[in-house]
Structures are given as structure tokens and as C-alpha cells.
Amino acid sequence: MFNLILFGPPGSGKGTQSEKLILRYGLKHLSTGDMLRSEIARQTPLGMEAKKVMDRGELVSDEIVIGMIRSNIDANQQVRGFLFDGFPRTAAQAVALDLLLEEKGAPISVMLALEVSEEELVKRLMKRGETSGRSDDTNESVIRARITEYHNKTTAVAAHYEKFDKVRLIKGEGSIDEIFSLLCTEIDSRI
Ligand code: B4P
């Protein structure tokens, strides 16, 4: 199995690049953001709880997202590998993921970390907010709160995988195809 984490701040291009990478490499895409938005769209109790947190630009509880990831890994036994998009976002999520993958004997191969300046992130997310209908993209203070959450809680995830020399930094500004090509070069050298 080839298991990959696509990492980066909100708006860095994780979702955008994931769509292209799963087509090229036949990986199963696991996006916790997509899973949470699907719960919200179906108005489940979990979705209603998550919406309040997401609308403040904060992270949903580790317990909820780890549970979602665990059931998705269990439901996809015969895949070539997983592309984790937007997960793990805290040190506790990273430890939980490592344990889940250890049970499968298929650890994370690499974490590809997209680097984008804060002003570019805000610009991209405000632009997406004009059309996406996502309530967490329409308000600049919520976008900045998401970036603060990233610095406070999520950068620890990169520190965790750096200990195992699994992090590769990727320039996340430029055209979508240029960034895709940088990501593919890293993956091709490992797959
Ligand atoms: P996510 O759904 O993970 O999404 P995101 O961080 O908003 O953005 P992403 O990085 O995927 O978007 P992209 O750049 O592709 O999270 C949403 C919320 O869910 C979180 O705030 C949190 O509350 C909750 N959540 C999710 N996972 C969680 C977890 N594990 N634990 C706790 N809470 C969790 O796209 C951004 C825009 O940039 C798009 O419009 C795109 O077209 C554009 N773009 C992309 N690449 C570009 C480029 N090269 N140039 C110009 N524009 C580009």
C-alpha cells in the first residue's frame, strides 16, 4: 500500500490537488472536510454539531474525526493506498492514524506539505466563498481564525512526521498544473 498525507494550511490546494492525484495514482481519497460537509448536508446530529465549530473557524473534536477516518479505512480494505487530505490536523490525530495504519502494516510513506503565504490563502478562500456557498469561506475573520488554528494545532503534525524524516515541502504557489507536477515528482520517486 502507498499511503500519502497531503498537508498544508486552509486554502493551500489540498482538495484541488487531491482530485488530480487520486486519478493519476488510483488512491482512495479520504478528506475529513468533505466527510464533515456531507454530514452537514444530510443534517445529521454529528453534522449539526460540527457546523457550529466549523463556522467559527475552529477544529472539530479529535474524537469525531478519528472515528470517521477509522470507519472509512475499515470500509476500504482492498485499495492501493489512501490519500489523506486535511487529516491529521492535530498531534493526537497523527498518533491515532499511525496506530490505525500500523494494524495494517502499511505506514505513511510521505507527507507532502504545500507552502503558501497567508495573504494568498485569504485571497483564494475569499474568492472561493463568492461561489462555494461555504459559510466558513465568506468571512475574512473566520478565514484568519482557521489559519490561526493551523498555526496553533496543525503545524505539530508536520513536526511529528519530521521525526521520521517523512516530510517534503512543496511550493504551493504557481499554477495548479505546476504544483501537481512537483507533487508527482515526489510520489514517483517513492511509489
Ligand atoms: P477542509 O475541507 O480540509 O478544507 P480547507 O482547509 O478549507 O481547504 P483546502 O486546502 O482543501 O482547499 P483548497 O486549497 O483545495 O477543512 C474545512 C474545515 O473542516 C476546517 O476548518 C475544520 O473546521 C474542519 N475539519 C476538516 N478536517 C478536520 C480535522 N481533521 N480535524 C478537525 N477539523 C477538521 O482550495 C482553496 C481555493 O484555492 C479553491 O478555490 C481553489 O480553487 C483555489 N486554489 C487551489 N490551488 C490554487 C492555485 N495553485 N492557484 C490559485 N488558486 C488555487
Side-chain angles (χ1 to χ4, degrees):
M1 273 180 101
F2 181 80
N3 292 321
L4 162 73
I5 297 172
L6 195 55
F7 186 75
S12 56
K14 303 181 298 286
T16 305
Q17 296 294 338
S18 292
E19 294 299 334
K20 293 168 73 70
L21 290 168
I22 53 166
L23 289 178
R24 169 155 313 185
Y25 295 103
L27 301 173
K28 176 72 187 168
H29 184 197
L30 295 186
S31 158
T32 40
D34 287 350
M35 291 173 201
L36 291 166
R37 282 185 288 278
S38 156
E39 297 279 345
I40 293 171
R42 287 182 285 123
Q43 301 194 330
T44 65
L46 188 158
M48 294 301 91
E49 201 47 47
K51 184 172 184 338
K52 287 188 231 156
V53 179
M54 290 164 77
D55 282 350
R56 293 196 299 266
E58 294 168 11
L59 293 180
V60 174
S61 79
D62 287 338
E63 195 189 352
I64 288 180
V65 287
I66 292 167
M68 290 189 319
I69 284 285
R70 183 183 292 116
S71 25
N72 273 274
I73 289 178
D74 288 346
N76 289 280
Q77 298 286 351
Q78 305 299 331
V79 293
R80 190 170 182 215
F82 293 103
L83 190 169
F84 297 96
D85 163 7
F87 179 93
R89 257 179 160 98
T90 63
Q93 292 178 20
V95 170
L97 177 63
D98 289 352
L99 283 173
L100 286 170
L101 294 178
E102 206 175 280
E103 287 169 20
K104 301 202 152 304
I108 290 297
S109 304
V110 66
M111 169 189 270
L112 299 178
L114 293 165
E115 294 192 298
V116 178
S117 71
E118 178 158 342
E119 286 324 299
E120 172 71 10
L121 297 174
V122 174
K123 202 170 80 185
R124 286 184 191 178
L125 293 175
M126 292 292 290
K127 186 160 177 258
R128 182 169 70 185
E130 290 167 13
T131 52
S132 68
R134 274 179 60 169
S135 46
D136 58 346
D137 280 348
T138 40
N139 181 325
E140 184 170 339
S141 66
V142 172
I143 291 173
R144 295 217 184 254
R146 287 160 64 191
I147 295 171
T148 302
E149 280 280 85
Y150 172 80
H151 289 301
N152 288 344
K153 297 182 183 163
T154 307
T155 48
V157 174
H160 172 85
Y161 288 103
E162 264 159 18
K163 285 188 283 189
F164 308 105
D165 191 25
K166 290 192 174 174
V167 182
R168 294 295 173 270
L169 304 180
I170 304 290
K171 185 169 160 281
E173 292 186 44
S175 75
I176 288 170
D177 285 342
E178 279 163 5
I179 298 161
F180 180 61
S181 159
L182 295 174
L183 293 167
C184 291
T185 303
E186 288 292 341
I187 295 172
D188 291 341
S189 68
R190 289 174 174 79
I191 207 161

